[in-house]
Amino acid sequence: MHTGRNNTEPRRHATAEEPFRALLEAAPDAMVIVDDTGVIRLVNAQTEALFGYPRNELLGRPIEILVPQRFRSQHPGHRLDYSANQQVRPMGANLELYGLRRDGGEFPVEISISPLQTPDGLLISAAVRDISERQAAEARFRALLEAAPDAIVIVDDAGTIQLVNAQTETLFGYRREELLGRQVEVLVPQRFHHHHPSHRHGYVDNHRVRPMGAGLDLHGLRKDGGEFPVEISLSPLETPDGTLISAAIRDVSERKAAEIQLAELYEQQRHVALTLQRSLMGSPAPLPGMDASSRYFPARQGPGVGGDWFDLIALGGGRVGVLMGDVMGRGLEAAAVMGQLRSASHALAKTGMPPWQLMRALDAVVSELPDQLVTCCYLILDPDESALTVCSAGHLPVLLVDPTGQVRRLPVPVSVPLGVGEVPHQEIRLTVPPSSVLALYTDGLVETPTSDIEEQIDALTVALEKAIADSPCLDLAADSILAALLPDPVGYADDVTLLLARIPLAPLTAVSAELPALPVSVGEGRRFLRRTLEDWGCEDLTDTACLLASELLTNAVRHACDPLRLRLRRTRDDLTIEVCDGSPVLPRARTAALDEESGRGLALLDQLAATWGTLPTQDGKAVWFSVLLPPSHSGSPLETGTAR
């Protein structure tokens, strides 16, 4: 039987293999993948370049085609031994290995092999590297070591060459007799001739053992006109005929090339570390109706990774959690701790716990990590009430730009960082004007070795005020702030995080009714709900909404106390209904017996609501649920109201 799954299977495999093939082609070494019978299944472009075969002449042929004839009889046995005892390891350790090109030429190689378990069986990956140049360099190095490590050139105070060694002949390409009696500038590139005599005279006047041109790039000039980088050490030689100057000259071409390779390797490792950190940090999904912009820049010094993180969390009922933290220190350890805390804080926030309680829970997590301190700030924004509940554990002040453009620090009590323990974390509830902009940040943005952090926060305040005044776009404002605070985009030593979030306007389609905690309130709540849905043109949702709201109201009347409030909130996509009561006890799902009249409310929520949840409130708790609006329901907005 032919199914849709079978139709998409090849495409899915091809898509899954694309990153693998791209990685294979980007590998610096020749990569040869064979099956357990030694047949070549896959090669990359480096293999073609190294061995001289086009790809189609290798695929499907035995791997022994790339092995010199004198080794072919033993090679299948080595393959079988590896298949029986497979592990990632270098091949033929302490042995001289050779590859065979298409033209019959042999060349020394270094091979690393590793197993690849696939649905079709075992594959063996071999990374092959040509080490011809390395072996040649090692041979030259051994010869130099046996004779003399460096070229030695001895000149008098006039710069005339008096003595050279065999390494000088080898290094510069001159015969010994061609150098004796000539000026030392013959070994110096032409562009340095003008200054070199004065440097010589300066050394003669104040001679001592020292490196020449410390901090400069020095070059030697060969007889054939070729230049090469050198390292030179000078020392005086006192003789009966006067002072001679001995120059030990070392060709550092290979070191320069190695430094370039190390720099490239460092960038590769840094890229890997940053990729790991970004994966741990995550990227919060955009929240409907929430205008926000964030910026994160890793440190440009050291490994580049750190412990900054931020998060935007939809809490239900229009509420949004805003979180920012900073693990003190830098490096992979800080990034790993950050990843743990971000995951924990996101999960805890989704339960609806208040900021102070989330901080206490995170404090317990950090306390179990050795020698860790973490600053953190958590805010819960309720746009319907223009309210902000904030708790800060040692974090920097939260800045707010009100609709008039004035910037102020929110009066948030700041407790000790997470990890200190034994200190309670206090939260505060503030009323903030809609359309205000919140600014949260980490110390990498405002802390420098040469300035006071309070002065830098003041500078951030000025930059924030100007950026918001210049543009209503938060993305442009974030870029403007970073340009003002970080004029050198590559010189900062700590990772930098900035988050701007605009407080939404209260939705026009939001109403609420306050009810007494009496049985009659269930019917009153249904009638209020039915009238509101009729006004909003959502009559087709009435049955489901009234059924679920009745369950929540009944639970509140039976198990809770005043104040009791029913709140309705409509967005473009869904309808949210919330029941608040004065009891802090959260509802607990249970399985009702067949003859019981209760115990099925939360089960109905699971079945009929798109989402639902609970939130602790200042007076008790809120239980909410959302149902999706049909696509045709884009009714005109209504005025916000409160009914009693």
Side-chain angles (χ1 to χ4, degrees):
M1 180 177 177
H2 190 66
T3 67
R5 180 174 178 177
N6 291 334
N7 285 336
T8 60
E9 196 69 28
R11 180 178 301 174
R12 183 160 61 249
H13 284 314
T15 303
E17 288 178 1
E18 285 305 318
F20 174 74
R21 291 181 180 276
L23 181 62
L24 196 67
E25 292 297 333
D29 298 326
M31 302 296 297
V32 182
I33 296 179
V34 302
D35 61 20
D36 55 357
T37 65
V39 174
I40 298 173
R41 295 302 183 191
L42 195 62
V43 298
N44 64 355
Q46 296 295 337
T47 305
E48 297 178 281
L50 184 60
F51 289 94
Y53 286 94
R55 195 175 305 224
N56 57 358
E57 291 186 18
L58 290 175
L59 299 179
R61 301 189 65 180
I63 187 64
E64 280 76 19
I65 190 177
L66 305 179
V67 178
Q69 185 66 41
R70 64 184 186 276
F71 301 122
R72 290 184 182 177
S73 61
Q74 297 90 0
H75 195 265
H78 296 322
R79 274 195 299 100
L80 293 175
D81 289 343
Y82 181 79
S83 297
N85 186 22
Q86 48 192 270
Q87 56 183 319
V88 178
R89 62 176 175 82
M91 176 180 174
N94 301 322
L95 298 179
E96 292 186 356
L97 304 178
Y98 292 85
L100 181 65
R101 293 191 176 92
R102 188 186 186 198
D103 61 7
E106 295 185 10
F107 59 101
V109 295
E110 183 181 78
I111 303 176
S112 296
I113 55 178
S114 57
L116 298 172
Q117 295 293 343
T118 73
D120 297 326
L122 173 67
L123 296 179
I124 299 173
S125 171
V128 185
R129 178 174 297 176
D130 182 356
I131 58 173
S132 303
E133 292 184 4
R134 185 200 303 173
Q135 287 193 353
E138 290 173 353
R140 288 195 300 269
F141 175 77
R142 287 192 295 269
L144 290 171
L145 187 63
E146 291 175 1
D150 300 317
I152 305 298
V153 179
I154 298 176
V155 302
D156 60 18
D157 55 0
T160 302
I161 298 175
Q162 302 294 324
L163 187 65
V164 298
N165 67 350
Q167 297 310 321
T168 304
E169 298 178 280
T170 303
L171 186 59
F172 289 94
Y174 289 95
R175 298 193 308 276
R176 193 175 305 239
E177 56 271 19
E178 292 180 293
L179 291 175
L180 298 178
R182 298 183 65 179
Q183 290 298 109
V184 72
E185 279 76 22
V186 70
L187 305 178
V188 177
Q190 181 68 39
R191 64 184 184 278
F192 300 125
H193 281 193
H194 179 71
H195 303 287
H196 195 265
S198 61
H199 294 324
R200 271 198 295 102
H201 293 311
Y203 182 78
V204 171
D205 294 338
N206 186 22
H207 50 264
R208 66 185 189 278
V209 177
R210 64 172 177 83
M212 175 181 175
L216 301 177
D217 288 331
L218 304 179
H219 292 80
L221 180 66
R222 294 190 177 93
K223 182 180 180 181
D224 61 7
E227 295 186 11
F228 60 100
V230 296
E231 183 181 80
I232 302 175
S233 296
L234 302 177
S235 57
L237 296 174
E238 299 295 340
T239 71
D241 299 324
T243 300
L244 299 179
I245 301 170
S246 173
I249 305 171
R250 180 172 297 176
D251 182 354
V252 294
S253 301
E254 293 182 3
R255 182 197 301 172
K256 293 291 185 181
E259 289 173 353
I260 294 174
Q261 292 177 349
L262 286 174
E264 293 174 350
L265 178 60
Y266 168 77
E267 286 301 319
Q268 293 174 3
Q269 292 176 335
R270 187 170 184 274
H271 174 72
V272 170
L274 293 179
T275 301
L276 172 63
Q277 183 180 39
R278 291 187 184 276
S279 175
L280 293 172
M281 176 184 287
S283 179
L287 300 182
M290 187 73 180
D291 183 15
S293 179
S294 61
R295 295 292 184 272
Y296 171 76
F297 294 111
R300 290 293 182 178
Q301 300 177 16
V305 296
D308 289 8
W309 89 92
F310 64 94
D311 207 353
L312 296 173
I313 309 148
L315 301 178
R319 299 174 181 85
V320 176
V322 183
L323 185 72
M324 180 163 288
D326 185 2
V327 179
M328 295 185 184
R330 294 193 299 273
L332 289 176
E333 183 179 1
V337 172
M338 174 272 293
Q340 297 178 58
L341 294 180
R342 184 188 182 278
S343 298
S345 60
H346 187 93
L348 292 170
K350 293 292 283 186
T351 67
M353 65 172 50
W356 72 268
Q357 191 175 4
L358 183 140
M359 289 298 176
R360 187 174 67 176
L362 288 182
D363 197 17
V365 174
V366 177
S367 298
E368 295 182 356
L369 302 174
D371 303 322
Q372 292 293 341
L373 288 177
V374 179
T375 66
C376 188
C377 183
Y378 181 47
L379 306 82
I380 293 182
L381 170 63
D382 187 349
D384 292 4
E385 298 184 357
S386 297
L388 198 65
T389 306
V390 193
C391 185
S392 177
H395 205 72
L396 296 167
V398 180
L399 302 180
L400 181 135
V401 188
D402 65 28
T404 68
Q406 298 297 312
V407 183
R408 60 186 174 91
R409 301 186 187 187
L410 292 182
V412 178
V414 179
S415 63
V416 298
L418 303 177
V420 174
E422 304 298 330
V423 179
H425 302 285
Q426 298 179 356
E427 68 178 34
I428 186 172
R429 184 177 174 87
L430 305 170
T431 299
V432 289
S435 299
S436 299
V437 176
L438 292 169
L440 290 89
Y441 48 95
T442 58
D443 56 5
L445 183 63
V446 294
E447 189 173 46
T448 66
T450 58
S451 62
D452 181 74
I453 192 168
E454 286 295 326
E455 295 178 356
Q456 288 299 104
I457 294 176
D458 291 340
L460 172 60
T461 301
V462 173
L464 177 63
E465 183 176 9
K466 182 178 185 303
I468 298 299
D470 290 345
S471 173
C473 175
L474 294 188
D475 278 333
L476 295 178
D479 292 336
S480 175
I481 293 169
L482 291 176
L485 271 293
L486 301 173
D488 181 6
V490 297
Y492 44 91
D494 197 2
D495 44 348
V496 175
T497 303
L498 172 66
L499 175 64
L500 302 179
R502 194 184 308 275
I503 297 174
L505 295 172
L508 293 179
T509 49
V511 295
S512 63
E514 293 186 4
L515 305 167
L518 299 173
V520 295
S521 296
V522 179
E524 291 182 12
R526 280 197 301 267
R527 288 188 289 274
F528 171 76
L529 177 57
R530 187 174 290 108
R531 288 195 304 270
T532 302
L533 294 181
E534 289 175 357
D535 293 340
W536 289 354
C538 299
E539 295 90 340
D540 49 355
L541 295 177
T542 301
D543 290 342
T544 300
C546 286
L547 172 62
L548 298 181
S550 294
E551 292 292 336
L552 298 186
L553 287 168
T554 300
N555 285 343
V557 168
R558 179 176 297 178
H559 302 293
C561 57
D562 290 332
L564 193 65
R565 186 175 65 167
L566 174 64
R567 184 164 78 163
L568 285 69
R569 188 177 195 272
R570 178 188 167 185
T571 66
R572 186 187 64 180
D573 301 315
D574 59 27
L575 169 71
T576 300
I577 298 174
E578 181 180 278
V579 174
C580 303
D581 61 53
S583 171
V585 180
L586 300 179
R588 181 171 58 88
R590 66 184 180 87
T591 302
L594 294 177
D595 57 348
E596 281 188 291
E597 294 294 332
S598 61
R600 296 178 177 83
L602 298 185
L604 287 173
L605 286 177
D606 282 332
Q607 294 296 321
L608 300 180
T611 57
W612 73 276
T614 61
L615 286 170
T617 64
Q618 192 173 21
D619 299 321
K621 67 174 179 297
V623 184
W624 59 270
F625 67 88
S626 295
V627 291
L628 299 179
L629 293 175
S632 60
H633 282 259
S634 57
S636 60
L638 305 175
E639 293 297 330
T640 302
T642 300
R644 286 177 172 79

